[in-house]
Amino acid sequence: MTQLALVTGASSGIGLELARCCARHGLDLILAADEPEIEDAAAEIRAMGREAKALQGDLSDPAAVDRLVGLAGARPVDILLANAGRGLGHAFVDQDWQQARHVIDTNIVGTLYLVQRIARDMIRRGSGRILLTGSIAGFMPGTFQAVYNASKAFIDSFAIALRHELQDSGVSVTLLMPGATETRFFQRAGLLDTRIGQARKADAAEVAEAGFKAMMAGEEQIVTGWKNRMQVAAAHVTPAGMLAEQHRRMAEPNSGQESEEEG
């Protein structure tokens, strides 16, 4: 029987590329995102010869997660790719609280609720694969991205802990940790006027392919890109305050304009 994969944040960027990886691998798909483009993504998957269902919904809402899981019907979800995430730039005290809360509810609360619902069924069957999209941002205090980086630190830690809790269950958990990637993330997070927003970024298809291969191989974690691996290694030995100042230079509003002037 054809296996079923569920991908969140699948309307664009890494999530859409993960969905394409699944389709090329012969999987049927359930796709979710909070944008209407999710229907276009599902149509593309069907054109690749795979079954695809789509949900446009806000996965920070547990009711939307319930609807998403319900799309599987009686079919088991064999692979979960929990990729949905929100970013938010600018100083924490200047941010709209509801937007900051939405980052937390999307990146942490909704993700964990979905993972728990799917993982319980996987454990009962004794098989399954889970890929969680974390970030190298989780290793660095995110000055002017404080809530986002903290949320990714949570996911990075949670994924590894969950993997070891499930190590004898037949269910594998893999953590994908990309760096800055060419997606809509920076526009949606209000970071286009920053150095990181204007810098050259990794290709989403390459990031997704690396994460998918690591998941299928049952690997614990993967940091994509050699520069990102060097950054993670350096973060382990660099004082947190110095990391926070480095992040300030990349994410402070209007730092992109300053970079242009310096160049």
Side-chain angles (χ1 to χ4, degrees):
M1 184 177 180
T2 302
Q3 289 193 321
L4 179 65
L6 190 159
V7 187
T8 65
S11 58
S12 64
I14 295 172
L16 177 57
E17 296 297 343
L18 286 170
R20 289 168 175 161
C21 288
C22 290
R24 289 193 294 268
H25 197 74
L27 303 171
D28 290 336
L29 283 136
I30 296 174
L31 307 177
D34 61 358
E35 300 174 313
E37 289 84 355
I38 195 63
E39 296 292 346
D40 298 331
E44 178 184 334
I45 298 303
R46 295 185 198 109
M48 296 174 70
R50 310 311 317 163
E51 293 183 15
K53 296 180 179 179
L55 173 75
Q56 182 187 348
D58 183 351
L59 298 183
S60 68
D61 179 2
V65 174
D66 289 337
R67 291 195 300 273
L68 177 61
V69 174
L71 288 181
R75 293 184 68 177
V77 175
D78 301 284
I79 299 177
L80 170 62
L81 302 98
N83 171 78
R86 277 280 183 178
L88 188 63
H90 300 278
F92 171 69
V93 296
D94 296 331
Q95 291 170 349
D96 176 82
W97 169 246
Q98 293 305 319
Q99 290 184 356
R101 173 68 183 270
H102 194 224
V103 172
I104 297 167
D105 287 344
T106 301
N107 296 7
I108 299 176
V109 180
T111 296
L112 265 61
Y113 180 47
L114 175 62
V115 168
Q116 188 182 68
R117 287 212 55 186
I118 298 298
R120 282 176 170 172
D121 189 56
M122 288 179 170
I123 291 167
R124 283 193 290 268
R125 301 194 317 271
S127 66
R129 300 179 188 275
I130 298 171
L131 179 72
L132 283 151
T133 301
S135 175
I136 67 167
F139 292 96
M140 182 179 292
T143 311
F144 294 103
Q145 275 184 278
V147 175
Y148 172 76
N149 282 38
S151 74
K152 287 302 181 179
F154 185 105
I155 292 299
D156 290 352
S157 175
F158 169 78
I160 302 302
L162 181 64
R163 177 184 175 88
H164 287 268
E165 287 183 5
L166 302 185
Q167 62 186 357
D168 298 319
S169 68
V171 180
S172 69
V173 179
T174 300
L175 172 63
L176 170 61
M177 291 180 285
T181 304
E182 196 61 58
T183 69
R184 297 178 186 172
F185 172 88
F186 295 92
Q187 179 181 0
R188 297 180 73 181
L191 290 164
L192 293 183
D193 64 342
T194 66
R195 289 188 180 186
I196 188 63
Q198 296 179 10
R200 185 176 180 180
K201 303 172 184 64
D203 180 70
E206 294 179 1
V207 170
E209 182 70 23
F212 184 83
K213 287 181 177 178
M215 176 192 68
M216 296 305 293
E219 296 177 13
E220 180 173 277
Q221 57 185 297
I222 178 169
V223 176
T224 56
W226 67 269
K227 288 184 179 180
N228 293 330
R229 290 191 288 273
M230 290 179 61
Q231 187 172 344
V232 169
H236 288 303
V237 296
T238 304
M242 187 176 296
L243 291 172
E245 284 303 311
Q246 291 174 1
H247 201 280
R248 171 193 290 274
R249 291 195 290 272
M250 294 299 294
E252 188 169 11
N254 298 315
S255 59
Q257 180 63 37
E258 293 171 8
S259 180
E260 290 178 5
E261 292 173 356
E262 290 169 4

